[in-house]
Amino acid sequence: MFDVKNCLNTCEEKMRLAALHLEETLSQIRAGKANVHILDGIKVNSYGATVPLNNVAAITTPDMRTIAIKPWDKTMFPVIEKAIIDSNVGITPESNGEVIRLCIPALTEDRRKQIAKQCGKEGEIAKVSIRNIRRDGIDKLKKAIKDGLSEDNEKDAEADLQKVHDKYMKQVDQLLQQKEKELMTV
């Protein structure tokens, strides 16, 4: 017998993960003010192992336009600087031997619009993913009718799946609005 509840829970979990992925992606997009999450994707080679930057240094934001990176081991300075330069962050690090500083430049109006478009594309990718998950769930429910699921139960489950879909689409829209507001605030 087909487990409708399990199917709905699986679809909801996948939709939640799609929204979570979007949230993580948007947090790594630079919005003109210091945000330590723009460094989340940077990995450094530490004693033969590739580890995230925050595993080898303390990362703070002393003010709105600066990210300070204080390595726990002085020998990590050149490794961290090279990793930041090689990454897609687009900011040149400045080091004084104690702390590596990243000065976040103010964004121009055109650059803000470009970043807003990029965020919109990321949001559309998440929406398409959520729609595909809904479609796959509906396909499973329709196939379950052949396995003995009643049409009434299938229609009810389809309606429940649509509600979950709408919830996550709304969450994606809210994430995009928050990021756009953050981008357009000077």
Side-chain angles (χ1 to χ4, degrees):
M1 185 72 184
F2 185 76
D3 188 1
V4 174
K5 193 172 186 90
N6 186 33
C7 178
L8 291 176
N9 287 341
T10 302
C11 289
E12 182 170 10
E13 178 63 16
K14 287 179 181 177
M15 289 180 191
R16 186 185 70 77
L17 289 173
L20 197 64
H21 177 73
L22 174 66
E23 187 175 0
E24 186 178 300
T25 301
L26 291 178
S27 74
Q28 292 178 5
I29 294 176
R30 186 161 54 103
K33 61 182 178 182
N35 180 354
V36 296
H37 292 294
I38 66 172
L39 301 175
D40 284 351
I42 298 178
K43 305 266 191 250
V44 294
N45 190 0
S46 174
Y47 302 108
T50 303
V51 296
L53 177 59
N54 61 4
N55 284 9
V56 295
I59 304 172
T60 59
T61 53
D63 59 55
M64 272 186 57
R65 297 256 184 244
T66 309
I67 297 175
I69 304 166
K70 186 166 175 68
W72 294 313
D73 182 358
K74 300 272 188 210
T75 61
M76 292 302 292
F77 273 92
V79 176
I80 291 172
E81 287 176 346
K82 182 174 180 351
I84 292 170
I85 291 169
D86 292 346
S87 73
N88 62 353
V89 173
I91 302 171
T92 305
E94 301 168 7
S95 174
N96 64 5
E98 293 291 318
V99 175
I100 298 170
R101 293 191 192 290
L102 299 178
C103 295
I104 312 293
L107 297 175
T108 64
E109 187 69 23
D110 288 342
R111 184 67 180 135
R112 288 177 194 279
K113 288 178 182 174
Q114 282 179 333
I115 294 174
K117 276 186 185 177
Q118 179 187 355
C119 292
K121 287 178 184 174
E122 293 292 340
E124 193 54 41
I125 290 169
K127 286 181 175 184
V128 167
S129 177
I130 291 170
R131 285 186 205 112
N132 288 341
I133 294 164
R134 177 190 58 185
R135 188 194 64 227
D136 293 345
I138 290 172
D139 289 347
K140 285 180 185 176
L141 291 170
K142 290 199 184 299
K143 287 179 185 172
I145 291 175
K146 296 175 187 168
D147 294 338
L149 183 66
S150 74
E151 286 187 30
D152 288 343
N153 285 346
E154 187 268 338
K155 289 294 179 198
D156 290 344
E158 207 172 300
D160 291 344
L161 185 57
Q162 183 64 41
K163 287 177 188 170
V164 172
H165 166 269
D166 293 345
K167 171 184 155 187
Y168 284 102
M169 292 299 256
K170 186 176 180 182
Q171 184 178 346
V172 166
D173 287 336
Q174 288 173 342
L175 288 170
L176 289 172
Q177 285 174 345
Q178 286 173 350
K179 189 64 175 185
E180 191 168 321
K181 182 179 177 187
E182 180 184 336
L183 278 169
M184 295 306 168
T185 305
V186 178

